[in-house]
Amino acid sequence: MSELLGVAVLGAGHMGADHIRRLDRGVSGARVAAVADPDTRRAEAAAAGIEGVRVHADVEAALDAPGVGAVLVASPGPAHEEALLAAFARGLPVLCEKPMVPDPEGALRVVEAEARLGRRLAQIGFMRRYDAEYRRLKALLDSGRLGRPLMLHCTHRNVSSPPGFTSAMLVDSSVSHEIDAARWLLGQELTAVTVLRPRSSAAAPQGLIDPQFVLFESEQGALADVEVFVNCGFGYQVRCEAVGESGSARIGEDHGMQVTGGGDTCREVPQDYLVRFADAYDRQVQDWVDATRRGAVTGPSAWDGYAAAAVAEAGVRSLEDGRRATVDLAPRPGPHIA
Amino acid sequence: MSELLGVAVLGAGHMGADHIRRLDRGVSGARVAAVADPDTRRAEAAAAGIEGVRVHADVEAALDAPGVGAVLVASPGPAHEEALLAAFARGLPVLCEKPMVPDPEGALRVVEAEARLGRRLAQIGFMRRYDAEYRRLKALLDSGRLGRPLMLHCTHRNVSSPPGFTSAMLVDSSVSHEIDAARWLLGQELTAVTVLRPRSSAAAPQGLIDPQFVLFESEQGALADVEVFVNCGFGYQVRCEAVGESGSARIGEDHGMQVTGGGDTCREVPQDYLVRFADAYDRQVQDWVDATRRGAVTGPSAWDGYAAAAVAEAGVRSLEDGRRATVDLAPRPGPHIA
Amino acid sequence: MSELLGVAVLGAGHMGADHIRRLDRGVSGARVAAVADPDTRRAEAAAAGIEGVRVHADVEAALDAPGVGAVLVASPGPAHEEALLAAFARGLPVLCEKPMVPDPEGALRVVEAEARLGRRLAQIGFMRRYDAEYRRLKALLDSGRLGRPLMLHCTHRNVSSPPGFTSAMLVDSSVSHEIDAARWLLGQELTAVTVLRPRSSAAAPQGLIDPQFVLFESEQGALADVEVFVNCGFGYQVRCEAVGESGSARIGEDHGMQVTGGGDTCREVPQDYLVRFADAYDRQVQDWVDATRRGAVTGPSAWDGYAAAAVAEAGVRSLEDGRRATVDLAPRPGPHIA
Amino acid sequence: MSELLGVAVLGAGHMGADHIRRLDRGVSGARVAAVADPDTRRAEAAAAGIEGVRVHADVEAALDAPGVGAVLVASPGPAHEEALLAAFARGLPVLCEKPMVPDPEGALRVVEAEARLGRRLAQIGFMRRYDAEYRRLKALLDSGRLGRPLMLHCTHRNVSSPPGFTSAMLVDSSVSHEIDAARWLLGQELTAVTVLRPRSSAAAPQGLIDPQFVLFESEQGALADVEVFVNCGFGYQVRCEAVGESGSARIGEDHGMQVTGGGDTCREVPQDYLVRFADAYDRQVQDWVDATRRGAVTGPSAWDGYAAAAVAEAGVRSLEDGRRATVDLAPRPGPHIA
């Protein structure tokens, strides 16, 4: 394992810059070999101080740069399909930030392209699967100790939404994490979505439907509900309770230091997903690097990326017309959910 | 306040016997003056050892017994309407167990009968309003510290359901507590109900739809969801989280002694509502006795009993046809929700 | 059980007035028959509105008042010995607030006087034995599930100390509750005390040694430590962790409603022992009334009152000279710790 | 920062092998350049699969190996002094596992040797300073929000002690972590120690005094108490509560997934320090590598190692004779506690 894995990072925005820093300093076994961003000044800034990195405006040039053995896609969602197909064409393993491809049709094209290769190259950035508490919950469900899963109750709250955040993005961006988590925890596909609209908060930007309450049905009849509230004001909370036939389990409860003073005992709520899921991001990339160096692809698959896109698309339909929307899922071109 | 309030208790079953014991030994200022039950041996058993109690097979005879100054109705639901009207006819204050009257039409007749009297006589046994944690939550919501309420997330779990418990009873008996609590906490009427059916637990009796997931909409657009699961197997859990525009609050979390041993730190889950809400039952009856002795009626009103019946009836409709059901509420013959 | 127990309450200060209210309205089966206080206006005020109460300046007159069947002693500690002996002389059951008698010699005289009667009449007001969490812990220890007890870690914090509170009173008034709780939980006598003086808080009144850290040794070698801090500023906290050979258990942890807002999730700390132990006070008096009416005496005994006084006296010696002080306990004139 | 830091690891036992794995795979910016262990087969095993490592029986040879730029000392405590002096002689930065040197005299020689160099080279492996919760507590204390610190209440429990663990090792090995943490959190030296011996657990090996209760006094009068119980049977618990003049704070409380089933809600207790403090070990080494690569030394100093040895030595004296022992601290040859 002596040779470092040279990674081309596509996209040098907030998330891309964070991954560049992580590859350079937070994980072992990898190095940043190339950075591509149409805004090359941004790419230069993100790559500053890292020896041996080349900066490109163009994706193909970055993929073809010397020393590149794998790709990390952190560009905007609409650019992902082309990037993934380019990586596939070169046989390069790729870690692609979510959404894999925003529209289900494009996502399916990626699935089919990989299927034609006859081997996996893509891992999708559903990093909650690398969070210690989610992993505990998954292991508990798989152990059968709770009996068969019947319900998941989920909460997803942000302090405030960034400029330009739309009502549909609560479903297809925020809740996409819960979509993947529900599929993974239950080990089942989701078949229908209903989006309810409680009264919107006065703290939400004008016109934004926030909070929303999203209901998912699974193929074996489990129900998953998600409160998504992206202008809750007080912090970043991601919680999940799984209810089975013989017990329940909760993750995401407040923990850490308890401070008593002035009549209350308090625990801090993290303000940001980078605080709550810092370890999960690190572990995700480390696992990807480790697997890639030994020639394996182990994380969430292109199918997971496609299924999430299809469920999110149904959710947006339900948000628009207020009715239950069924999920249209193409036949699976390969083996079952990893 | 020297004279003890003489109470006629109607019904000497499980709940009636518990109230007889409470009036005799758990609260001050009252005594059991009469007990009525068609099964007079059961009534005799419940009244054993209490001086000065007379036992009757007949409701009217019990209400007319000497020393009776108030009535506690703990007979089966279908007998409530007649008992309430008989108490009204005699001008007797009455504490009536829930459901006030199971069908909305009968419940409305009670509301109208009391309205014709021109004064309140009835208090309905929604005892959660007397639970310390629910009162804290109500006070917090009323204080405005959380902003306007947007959502309530509720859990209602029992170890197992008694024989004869039907799918409709999850809505009109179990969830009726959440119906009243939601109306009271929000200070709003509920306008629509949708009942969802996750896969039923293998631990539920054959044919029982359990768990269910019930969604309520309020007149000002708040959403209340309830997981009701009456064969969860592990304990009695009643939890509620209120989410407002600027914060959230949870009640019903596990508390009490923490025991560490064998690799876990555990807190006991109560097995029974009489453990979880013992104080609330005591406080409810004590408050009713105290108010009655000073000539007042302060607790949940006949209107609250009627509204709960109307919402529950809509819920059962939704359970049956799987669709959202609107609540049909008669015009209110008096002032707003107490 | 029809006849109400007539109680003479001695002392109409803060605690006496609270007990008068409790006997009148909070417990069943008893009534206030007489009140004695040298300040008869204070006694009149405390008895106002209760029918049939006579007010006396003199203890003996109150005990001899018609209808008096039992005595509740809530006068200042130095007056307790005379009151107890007067109750014994009349064969009256008595509930005596702690300290039973402040000095061990006087306390022993009470023990011996009761021993000469050949039957118990006195119950001492160590009301923590009636707190639900302490009872859980006691039952757990007695069950053997934790193995033999090795250590107790205790915390006793008040917002602020009342005027005139001395350094010795942290030991012989505040910690006296832990002295009784440790004896009761362990089922053993305490044999030595060491009082340590951490730096005093700037928030403590000038000259008051606060906090203190008190160490007790038991006859079978268990160790109990107590942080006592009566000017902690933020609330009333009473916690206890028992550590046994195979597990540990904690009580007194914060519970109740969780409020999330402004970056923290908080639980309220009670500000006052009347909030934290309200139920324990009620249950103590109800149990005493119930037992007395059936001719029994069941709670903490005069020996418990004496032993607490002897341990507290040793504690004050240790506070004064900074050294470990052994407890001088007279031979027990009767059966073992109840 | 392109050049990797070549580290010579001294000692290839449990801890050394763990550090070798960490340097190879868990942290970035470093590589294992040499491993020394008298048992060279053990060293070969620990270094297997890592390119470019040379294995030595001899410390000096390892330090002189090509590419070595820093040293990590994980050999047994008695070998540390020689290793540290050898590293100093070569001007090599060194991370030395605790205890720095077991006896205070040897520890002081290391302090003086480094003082003669005129610059810091040594960092001592008190890894709790890198634990997220400890860092929060330190930051809170330093912020002044709790007022001046008055007390620390600490718990240190292990499932069981390894073979050969002696009564003195509870103080000078287990509690040495609390000694450093107390000095660091309080920002003060400890001046006296008293070790109390509660009854020993039947689960402790014959002759082992376990648990022990250790009291530390600081120069400004704060008190720190530690329950150390290395055969508690149920898990690994490290907790700390700091009590200040205006509030308190606790760390080390159970967190993670809550599982409800069978009448209890439980949270897992970690079984091992490598689980509880895995992140702290990683962060410690990463920080050391980062600082070393930029030419700095930032962690716990040789003085911290010496002071811990001096306090532990006083603790062992107190354990032996049962009396309070004062700490004999040499004058400090340099600036104050980092």
Side-chain angles (χ1 to χ4, degrees):
Chain A
M1 292 236 179
S2 60
E3 184 80 3
L4 295 182
L5 179 70
V7 179
V9 178
L10 310 185
H14 182 63
M15 186 61 85
D18 195 53
H19 279 307
I20 289 168
R21 182 205 54 72
R22 182 172 290 113
L23 287 165
D24 185 43
R25 317 249 344 237
V27 306
S28 66
R31 64 182 190 86
V32 182
V35 175
D37 198 292
D39 180 347
T40 51
R41 277 177 308 183
R42 187 163 78 164
E44 297 281 4
I50 304 179
E51 197 185 353
V53 186
R54 291 155 201 244
V55 163
H56 306 266
D58 177 62
V59 165
E60 307 252 341
L63 300 190
D64 294 331
V68 167
V71 187
L72 196 160
V73 180
S75 49
H80 288 188
E81 182 179 352
E82 188 185 334
L84 284 159
L85 297 178
F88 290 173
R90 286 158 180 81
L92 289 171
V94 56
L95 173 59
C96 180
E97 268 303 321
K98 49 140 295 235
M100 180 176 80
V101 176
D103 63 292
E105 296 73 22
L108 187 58
R109 284 192 294 270
V110 169
V111 168
E112 291 166 347
E114 193 190 40
R116 280 192 299 271
L117 292 175
R119 62 183 175 113
R120 285 191 60 185
L121 282 178
Q123 171 171 335
I124 312 309
F126 292 119
M127 91 294 165
R128 286 200 193 162
R129 300 195 189 190
Y130 295 90
D131 173 67
E133 292 197 42
Y134 270 96
R135 290 174 89 91
R136 280 287 167 88
L137 182 57
K138 173 63 171 165
L140 181 71
L141 285 166
D142 289 353
S143 77
R145 272 185 57 202
L146 299 186
R148 283 187 305 184
L150 305 175
M151 286 171 286
L152 298 177
H153 304 310
C154 309
T155 311
H156 184 142
R157 297 174 183 154
N158 295 79
V159 178
S160 60
S161 56
F165 211 76
T166 66
S167 297
M169 290 169 79
L170 273 81
V171 175
D172 65 20
S173 177
S174 300
V175 175
S176 70
H177 282 294
E178 273 77 20
I179 291 173
D180 181 66
R183 293 179 64 253
W184 176 62
L185 291 172
L186 296 171
Q188 300 170 39
E189 295 297 352
L190 304 180
T191 55
V193 196
T194 310
V195 179
L196 302 175
R197 308 167 166 208
R199 139 188 242 150
S200 285
S201 172
Q206 179 71 22
L208 192 70
I209 302 169
D210 180 34
Q212 298 177 23
F213 194 75
V214 188
L215 293 154
F216 298 103
E217 302 164 40
S218 81
E219 30 180 22
Q220 294 172 33
L223 186 72
D225 56 86
V226 184
E227 175 205 316
V228 55
F229 188 5
V230 300
N231 288 280
C232 81
F234 56 76
Y236 180 71
Q237 279 190 317
V238 169
R239 303 185 308 203
C240 182
E241 176 173 28
V243 184
E245 291 173 320
S246 54
S248 68
R250 299 207 293 191
I251 59 171
E253 299 299 307
D254 304 309
H255 53 250
M257 185 168 66
Q258 298 175 343
V259 181
T260 301
D264 285 312
T265 294
C266 298
R267 291 181 152 182
E268 210 173 341
V269 176
Q271 293 301 294
D272 196 277
Y273 69 93
L274 289 177
V275 172
R276 169 68 177 83
F277 286 117
D279 287 346
Y281 278 103
D282 287 354
R283 217 171 281 138
Q284 171 190 244
V285 175
Q286 185 70 62
D287 269 36
W288 175 68
V289 167
D290 291 349
T292 301
R293 291 176 81 198
R294 64 173 191 270
V297 183
T298 56
S301 67
W303 178 260
D304 294 320
Y306 163 65
V311 175
E313 185 271 343
V316 173
R317 271 189 281 132
S318 175
L319 172 67
E320 281 164 3
D321 69 10
R323 296 197 297 191
R324 176 177 179 275
T326 54
V327 177
D328 302 315
L329 216 56
R332 185 166 182 157
H336 226 273
I337 295 175
Chain B
M1 292 237 178
S2 60
E3 185 78 7
L4 295 182
L5 179 70
V7 179
V9 177
L10 310 185
H14 182 65
M15 186 61 86
D18 195 53
H19 278 307
I20 288 168
R21 183 205 55 71
R22 183 173 290 112
L23 286 165
D24 185 43
R25 316 249 344 237
V27 306
S28 66
R31 65 183 188 87
V32 182
V35 174
D37 198 294
D39 179 348
T40 50
R41 277 178 308 182
R42 188 163 77 164
E44 296 281 4
I50 304 178
E51 199 187 354
V53 186
R54 290 157 201 243
V55 162
H56 305 266
D58 179 62
V59 165
E60 307 251 341
L63 300 190
D64 294 331
V68 167
V71 188
L72 195 160
V73 180
S75 49
H80 288 189
E81 181 178 353
E82 188 186 333
L84 285 159
L85 297 179
F88 290 175
R90 286 159 180 81
L92 289 171
V94 54
L95 174 59
C96 180
E97 268 302 322
K98 51 140 293 236
M100 180 177 80
V101 177
D103 62 294
E105 297 73 22
L108 188 58
R109 285 192 295 270
V110 169
V111 167
E112 291 166 345
E114 193 190 41
R116 282 193 297 273
L117 292 175
R119 64 184 173 113
R120 284 191 61 184
L121 282 178
Q123 172 172 333
I124 312 309
F126 292 119
M127 92 295 164
R128 286 199 195 163
R129 300 196 190 190
Y130 294 90
D131 174 67
E133 291 196 44
Y134 270 96
R135 292 174 88 91
R136 280 286 167 88
L137 182 57
K138 172 65 171 164
L140 181 71
L141 285 166
D142 290 353
S143 76
R145 272 185 57 203
L146 300 186
R148 283 188 306 184
L150 305 175
M151 287 170 285
L152 298 177
H153 304 309
C154 309
T155 310
H156 183 142
R157 295 174 184 156
N158 295 79
V159 178
S160 59
S161 57
F165 210 76
T166 67
S167 296
M169 289 169 80
L170 272 82
V171 175
D172 65 19
S173 177
S174 300
V175 175
S176 70
H177 282 294
E178 273 77 20
I179 292 172
D180 182 67
R183 292 180 62 253
W184 176 62
L185 291 171
L186 297 171
Q188 300 170 39
E189 295 297 352
L190 304 181
T191 55
V193 196
T194 309
V195 179
L196 302 175
R197 309 167 165 207
R199 138 187 243 152
S200 286
S201 172
Q206 178 70 21
L208 191 71
I209 301 169
D210 179 35
Q212 297 176 23
F213 194 74
V214 188
L215 293 155
F216 298 103
E217 301 165 38
S218 82
E219 17 174 36
Q220 292 173 35
L223 186 73
D225 56 87
V226 184
E227 175 205 316
V228 55
F229 189 5
V230 299
N231 289 280
C232 81
F234 57 75
Y236 179 72
Q237 278 190 317
V238 169
R239 305 185 306 203
C240 182
E241 177 173 29
V243 185
E245 290 173 321
S246 54
S248 69
R250 299 207 294 191
I251 59 172
E253 298 301 305
D254 304 309
H255 54 250
M257 185 168 66
Q258 298 176 342
V259 181
T260 301
D264 285 313
T265 294
C266 299
R267 290 182 152 181
E268 210 173 340
V269 177
Q271 293 302 295
D272 196 279
Y273 68 93
L274 290 176
V275 172
R276 169 66 177 86
F277 286 117
D279 287 347
Y281 278 104
D282 288 353
R283 216 172 280 136
Q284 171 190 243
V285 176
Q286 185 70 61
D287 269 35
W288 175 67
V289 167
D290 291 350
T292 302
R293 291 175 81 197
R294 63 172 192 270
V297 184
T298 56
S301 67
W303 178 260
D304 294 321
Y306 162 67
V311 176
E313 186 271 342
V316 172
R317 268 189 284 133
S318 175
L319 172 66
E320 283 164 2
D321 69 10
R323 296 197 296 191
R324 176 176 179 275
T326 55
V327 177
D328 302 315
L329 215 56
R332 183 161 184 163
H336 227 272
I337 295 174
Chain C
M1 292 242 178
S2 60
E3 184 77 8
L4 296 182
L5 180 69
V7 179
V9 177
L10 310 186
H14 182 64
M15 186 60 88
D18 195 53
H19 278 307
I20 288 167
R21 182 205 54 73
R22 184 172 289 113
L23 286 165
D24 185 43
R25 316 242 355 230
V27 306
S28 66
R31 66 184 188 85
V32 182
V35 174
D37 198 294
D39 179 346
T40 51
R41 277 179 307 183
R42 186 163 78 163
E44 295 282 4
I50 304 178
E51 199 187 354
V53 185
R54 289 154 202 248
V55 162
H56 306 266
D58 177 60
V59 165
E60 307 251 341
L63 300 191
D64 294 331
V68 167
V71 188
L72 196 161
V73 180
S75 48
H80 287 188
E81 181 178 354
E82 188 184 333
L84 285 160
L85 297 179
F88 290 175
R90 285 158 179 81
L92 289 171
V94 54
L95 174 58
C96 180
E97 269 302 321
K98 53 141 292 239
M100 180 177 79
V101 176
D103 62 293
E105 295 74 22
L108 188 57
R109 284 192 296 270
V110 169
V111 168
E112 290 167 347
E114 193 190 41
R116 281 193 298 271
L117 292 174
R119 62 185 174 112
R120 285 191 60 184
L121 283 178
Q123 171 171 335
I124 311 309
F126 291 119
M127 92 294 166
R128 285 199 195 164
R129 300 196 190 190
Y130 294 90
D131 174 67
E133 291 196 44
Y134 270 97
R135 291 174 88 92
R136 279 287 166 89
L137 183 55
K138 172 65 172 165
L140 181 71
L141 285 166
D142 288 354
S143 77
R145 271 185 58 203
L146 298 186
R148 285 187 303 184
L150 305 176
M151 287 171 285
L152 298 177
H153 304 309
C154 308
T155 311
H156 184 143
R157 296 174 185 155
N158 296 78
V159 178
S160 59
S161 56
F165 210 77
T166 66
S167 296
M169 289 169 80
L170 272 82
V171 176
D172 65 19
S173 176
S174 299
V175 176
S176 69
H177 282 293
E178 273 77 20
I179 291 173
D180 182 67
R183 292 180 63 252
W184 176 62
L185 290 172
L186 296 172
Q188 300 171 40
E189 296 296 351
L190 304 180
T191 55
V193 196
T194 309
V195 179
L196 302 175
R197 309 166 165 207
R199 139 189 241 148
S200 286
S201 172
Q206 177 71 22
L208 191 71
I209 301 168
D210 179 34
Q212 298 177 23
F213 194 75
V214 187
L215 294 154
F216 297 103
E217 302 165 38
S218 82
E219 6 171 49
Q220 293 172 34
L223 186 72
D225 56 86
V226 185
E227 176 205 314
V228 55
F229 188 5
V230 299
N231 289 281
C232 81
F234 57 75
Y236 180 72
Q237 279 190 317
V238 168
R239 305 186 306 203
C240 182
E241 176 173 28
V243 184
E245 289 173 320
S246 54
S248 69
R250 299 207 292 190
I251 60 173
E253 298 301 305
D254 303 309
H255 54 249
M257 186 167 66
Q258 298 176 343
V259 181
T260 301
D264 284 312
T265 294
C266 299
R267 291 182 152 181
E268 210 173 340
V269 177
Q271 294 301 296
D272 195 277
Y273 68 94
L274 289 177
V275 172
R276 169 68 177 85
F277 286 117
D279 287 346
Y281 278 105
D282 288 353
R283 216 171 282 136
Q284 171 190 242
V285 174
Q286 186 69 63
D287 268 35
W288 175 67
V289 167
D290 291 349
T292 302
R293 290 176 82 198
R294 62 173 193 269
V297 184
T298 56
S301 67
W303 177 261
D304 294 321
Y306 162 66
V311 175
E313 185 269 345
V316 173
R317 269 189 282 132
S318 175
L319 172 66
E320 282 164 1
D321 68 12
R323 297 197 296 191
R324 176 177 179 273
T326 55
V327 176
D328 302 316
L329 215 58
R332 184 165 182 161
H336 226 272
I337 293 175
Chain D
M1 291 237 179
S2 59
E3 184 79 5
L4 296 182
L5 179 69
V7 179
V9 178
L10 311 185
H14 182 63
M15 186 60 88
D18 196 54
H19 279 306
I20 288 167
R21 183 205 53 74
R22 182 171 291 112
L23 286 164
D24 185 44
R25 317 246 349 232
V27 305
S28 65
R31 64 180 189 90
V32 182
V35 174
D37 199 292
D39 179 347
T40 50
R41 277 179 307 182
R42 188 163 77 165
E44 297 281 3
I50 304 178
E51 196 186 356
V53 186
R54 290 156 201 243
V55 163
H56 305 266
D58 177 62
V59 165
E60 308 251 341
L63 300 190
D64 293 332
V68 167
V71 187
L72 195 159
V73 180
S75 49
H80 288 188
E81 182 177 353
E82 188 185 332
L84 286 160
L85 297 179
F88 290 175
R90 287 157 179 81
L92 289 171
V94 55
L95 173 59
C96 180
E97 269 302 321
K98 52 139 294 237
M100 180 177 79
V101 177
D103 62 293
E105 295 73 22
L108 187 57
R109 283 192 295 269
V110 169
V111 168
E112 291 166 347
E114 193 190 42
R116 281 193 297 272
L117 292 174
R119 61 183 176 116
R120 283 191 61 185
L121 282 179
Q123 171 172 335
I124 312 307
F126 292 119
M127 92 293 165
R128 286 199 194 163
R129 300 196 190 190
Y130 294 90
D131 174 66
E133 291 197 43
Y134 270 95
R135 291 174 88 91
R136 281 286 167 88
L137 182 56
K138 172 65 171 165
L140 182 70
L141 285 166
D142 289 353
S143 76
R145 272 186 57 203
L146 299 185
R148 285 188 303 185
L150 306 175
M151 286 171 287
L152 298 178
H153 304 308
C154 309
T155 310
H156 184 143
R157 295 173 184 156
N158 295 79
V159 178
S160 58
S161 56
F165 210 76
T166 66
S167 297
M169 289 169 80
L170 273 82
V171 175
D172 64 21
S173 175
S174 300
V175 176
S176 70
H177 282 293
E178 273 77 20
I179 291 172
D180 182 67
R183 292 180 63 253
W184 176 61
L185 291 171
L186 296 171
Q188 301 170 40
E189 295 297 351
L190 304 180
T191 54
V193 196
T194 310
V195 179
L196 301 175
R197 309 168 165 206
R199 138 189 242 148
S200 285
S201 172
Q206 179 71 21
L208 191 72
I209 301 170
D210 179 35
Q212 298 177 22
F213 193 75
V214 187
L215 294 154
F216 298 103
E217 302 165 38
S218 81
E219 30 180 21
Q220 293 173 33
L223 186 73
D225 55 87
V226 184
E227 176 205 314
V228 56
F229 188 5
V230 299
N231 288 281
C232 81
F234 57 76
Y236 180 71
Q237 278 190 317
V238 168
R239 305 185 307 204
C240 181
E241 177 173 28
V243 185
E245 290 173 320
S246 55
S248 68
R250 299 206 294 191
I251 59 172
E253 298 301 305
D254 303 310
H255 53 249
M257 186 169 65
Q258 298 176 343
V259 181
T260 301
D264 285 311
T265 294
C266 299
R267 290 182 153 182
E268 209 173 340
V269 177
Q271 295 300 297
D272 195 278
Y273 68 93
L274 289 177
V275 173
R276 169 67 177 86
F277 286 116
D279 287 346
Y281 279 103
D282 287 354
R283 217 171 282 135
Q284 172 190 243
V285 175
Q286 186 69 64
D287 269 35
W288 175 67
V289 167
D290 291 349
T292 301
R293 291 176 81 197
R294 65 173 189 269
V297 184
T298 56
S301 66
W303 178 261
D304 294 321
Y306 162 66
V311 175
E313 184 270 343
V316 173
R317 270 190 281 133
S318 176
L319 171 67
E320 282 163 1
D321 69 11
R323 297 197 296 191
R324 175 177 180 274
T326 54
V327 177
D328 302 315
L329 215 57
R332 183 163 183 161
H336 226 274
I337 295 175

